Amino acid sequence: MRVAVIGLGYVGLPLAAAVAATGANVIGIEIDAEKVKAVNAGQSPLRGQEPGLADLVGEQVSKGRLRASLDPKEASGVDAVAVCVETPIDPTTHDPSYKALKAALAGVAPLLKRGALVSIESTLAPGTMEGVVRPALERGSKRTVGRDLYLVHCPERLTTGKLLHHLTELPRVLGANDEASMRKGVAFYERFVKAEIHATDWTTAEVVKTAENAYWDVQIAFANEVALISEELGVDAFRVRDLVNTCPYRMMLSPGAGVGGHCIPKDPWLLVSPAVQSKPELIPTAREVNDFMPRRMARIVEEALAASGRKIKGARVAVLGFTYRENTDDTRNSPAKIVIQELRRRGAEIAIHDPFARSERGYAVLRDVNAATKGADCVAIVTAHDEYRKLDLKALLRRMRHPAFVDGRDVYAGPDLVKMGFVYRGIGKGQF
Ligand SMILES: NC(=O)c1ccc[n+]([C@@H]2O[C@H](COP(=O)([O-])OP(=O)(O)OC[C@H]3O[C@@H](n4cnc5c(N)ncnc54)[C@H](O)[C@@H]3O)[C@@H](O)[C@H]2O)c1
């Protein structure tokens, strides 16, 4: 079987490697030359902890079953195509922005042979399969879906840090609008998915995927709102959470310094984007609550500095963690960027540390935590990387100019740090 995977990012790369491991001949089509170069050298372009991924990529490339290319024509005549490009939203209007999706479809459609299967793994606003994907493929291939071309939507569910595990172990929802596409789609996914494959139609699959992430966003917003209330009342939101969860059927999540990544901040908008009559309110409000958290984090830094006798203007703040998620290299929509912007706006000087993230324009990332915290007036944990759970706190206190410590991810127990001499504050932490 010959398979093309379009887009070798967090979704496409593990998929390409996992499909190659089933014995298929896989060509990965990418527009990023660095990723193509890395994959063809047998390396994963992703940093962070991705158990098994780099080894699997190396193995499949050396066996000659996985290759990457910048040239979409190399996907000519394949048996199956999986589209895994990004599907962001417009930051101002929150409408879906399908530039990458449309480019990928336009590139591959004329190359599709009779009977080829196309699976859209990218997350889509409900109605996109029918309104955008099907017409683009039929127009470009001059074929008809369900007759000589087969089309499914199988949204990916994986999370960074567990890409390969999730890819093969999580149940999948597979949307098809005709029986032949469904049969072909199930046969393709059964090659590597060990869990159940749930059959449905395109639109239901689109709603399910975006609702999964909107659900998570609303749950996080609930925890964050309880954290804001707890801070005002001077109680510990994490203790509140533990006690709430002693009540049957309550599973309150943890609050934190913000939500990021490619998916959670935009999928709720994809879900509500086609809704006109139902006028969604809860889901957009949850987005607002979660978007507020990095700004709250910056405010807490200012409060902690004030409590240590330091004005924020000119203060040195060491921001620990630049990625949105612990132990990964993923900085997309990271709340750390908002925290940093807010602190800079208030006149603070920022040193950013992260064990995995690369530097970006305006955000120079240091690898050495000692260098980042030397002479700091405040240390602010924004991402719960494992490295930050093992800080030498006594040495840290000696290195700092003022002892303000702000915990955005419940990494440390406040009373312990206060006993050591820190001025401790945190998201959901009440008073110390
Ligand atoms: N990251 C996750 O954990 C995750 C989980 C579930 C679903 N998703 C969804 O999967 C999709 C992909 O997400 P991702 O995280 O892998 O994104 P990503 O940005 O890591 O990867 C997308 C890749 O596609 C490439 N690309 C863009 N246009 C292209 C084109 N025309 N031809 C070839 N390559 C092209 C980009 O260069 C990039 O490498 C999105 O819709 C996302 O919402 C992501």
Side-chain angles (χ1 to χ4, degrees):
M1 187 183 200
R2 288 180 60 222
V3 177
V5 175
I6 319 276
L8 293 177
Y10 293 92
V11 166
L13 181 67
L15 176 73
V19 174
T22 67
N25 194 319
V26 179
I27 179 78
I29 306 295
E30 226 327 311
I31 53 173
D32 180 338
E34 293 284 304
K35 286 184 184 168
V36 170
K37 204 166 132 199
V39 171
N40 286 337
Q43 288 158 5
S44 164
L46 306 180
R47 293 185 190 183
Q49 295 171 4
E50 285 301 346
L53 183 61
D55 288 347
L56 191 66
V57 169
E59 183 189 308
Q60 296 309 316
V61 170
S62 72
K63 285 186 173 164
R65 292 203 288 240
L66 173 61
R67 231 165 24 85
S69 174
L70 290 165
D71 184 2
K73 291 205 180 64
E74 295 220 37
S76 203
V78 293
D79 301 292
V81 179
V83 177
C84 305
V85 298
E86 67 272 21
T87 49
I89 51 165
D90 181 294
T92 316
T93 63
H94 303 138
D95 288 332
S97 147
Y98 289 139
K99 199 167 149 241
L101 179 71
K102 286 178 180 168
L105 295 172
V108 81
L111 311 170
L112 292 170
K113 71 174 187 185
R114 185 183 183 82
L117 169 73
V118 178
S119 174
I120 308 298
E121 291 229 351
S122 300
T123 305
L124 305 173
T128 307
M129 286 295 287
E130 191 59 66
V132 176
V133 178
R134 181 220 280 262
L137 288 177
E138 289 190 333
R139 210 172 35 241
S141 68
K142 304 203 169 32
R143 301 194 184 282
T144 304
V145 167
R147 200 182 66 202
D148 53 2
L149 182 64
Y150 303 103
L151 177 61
V152 298
H153 178 37
C154 193
E156 194 48 78
R157 284 181 154 163
L158 43 76
T159 312
T160 42
K162 296 178 185 159
L163 292 175
L164 264 188
H165 176 74
H166 280 172
L167 184 72
T168 52
E169 304 294 330
L170 292 186
R172 295 293 285 266
V173 173
L174 181 69
N177 280 12
D178 66 89
E179 273 178 32
S181 294
M182 180 57 75
R183 251 195 333 273
K184 286 237 175 198
V186 169
F188 177 70
Y189 282 95
E190 275 180 351
R191 293 174 72 99
F192 56 94
V193 174
K194 295 182 199 149
E196 198 163 341
I197 296 169
H198 299 278
T200 185
D201 58 273
W202 290 340
T203 312
T204 305
E206 291 168 329
V207 175
V208 169
K209 171 64 203 181
T210 48
E212 279 166 21
N213 281 348
Y215 170 85
W216 200 240
D217 201 44
V218 169
Q219 297 299 315
I220 296 169
F222 176 81
N224 282 335
E225 193 151 279
V226 172
L228 296 174
I229 296 167
S230 298
E231 285 168 21
E232 186 179 337
L233 300 181
V235 299
D236 182 338
F238 295 89
R239 177 76 180 135
V240 169
R241 169 184 180 258
D242 289 346
L243 295 176
V244 165
N245 290 346
T246 63
C247 180
Y249 311 116
R250 273 40 163 206
M251 282 162 280
M252 188 177 150
L253 299 180
S254 294
V259 174
H262 179 52
C263 298
I264 303 282
K266 57 101 179 164
D267 290 354
W269 292 119
L270 293 182
L271 174 60
V272 302
S273 68
V276 180
Q277 286 157 21
S278 44
K279 296 190 174 50
E281 288 183 10
L282 176 68
I283 293 169
T285 304
R287 279 280 69 244
E288 273 174 36
V289 172
N290 289 338
D291 277 348
F292 174 68
M293 296 313 287
R295 297 205 294 279
R296 173 69 191 140
M297 178 76 185
R299 175 77 190 129
I300 297 176
V301 168
E302 190 170 11
E303 288 168 9
L305 281 164
S308 350
R310 182 71 172 89
K311 277 205 183 97
I312 192 158
K313 197 166 168 25
R316 293 171 73 173
V317 180
V319 169
L320 301 193
F322 187 53
T323 64
Y324 88 91
R325 190 181 172 79
E326 64 276 12
N327 305 322
T328 74
D329 68 345
D330 196 344
T331 61
R332 291 175 297 174
N333 300 311
S334 177
K337 293 178 191 172
I338 309 295
V339 174
I340 293 162
Q341 285 163 22
E342 287 288 316
L343 292 173
R344 283 182 175 152
R345 201 172 55 75
R346 292 166 157 91
E349 284 171 26
I350 309 297
I352 308 167
H353 175 271
D354 196 287
F356 304 111
R358 296 175 175 88
S359 293
E360 294 176 18
R361 187 196 292 247
Y363 303 96
V365 177
L366 301 170
R367 283 279 181 267
D368 179 352
V369 77
N370 295 344
T373 53
K374 193 165 189 306
D377 297 304
C378 178
V379 163
I381 298 187
V382 178
T383 318
H385 289 306
D386 286 351
E387 181 173 343
Y388 303 148
R389 298 186 182 278
K390 298 176 258 174
L391 294 174
D392 180 342
L393 294 169
K394 280 192 187 141
L396 174 67
L397 194 57
R398 280 197 301 273
R399 267 197 308 279
M400 292 175 68
R401 212 158 52 175
H402 286 84
F405 192 110
V406 178
D407 192 348
R409 300 288 173 190
D410 189 34
V411 172
Y412 285 98
D416 296 350
L417 267 72
V418 170
K419 235 181 271 164
M420 291 180 68
F422 285 101
V423 170
Y424 180 88
R425 297 282 187 281
I427 293 284
K429 288 295 184 176
Q431 301 292 320
F432 285 91

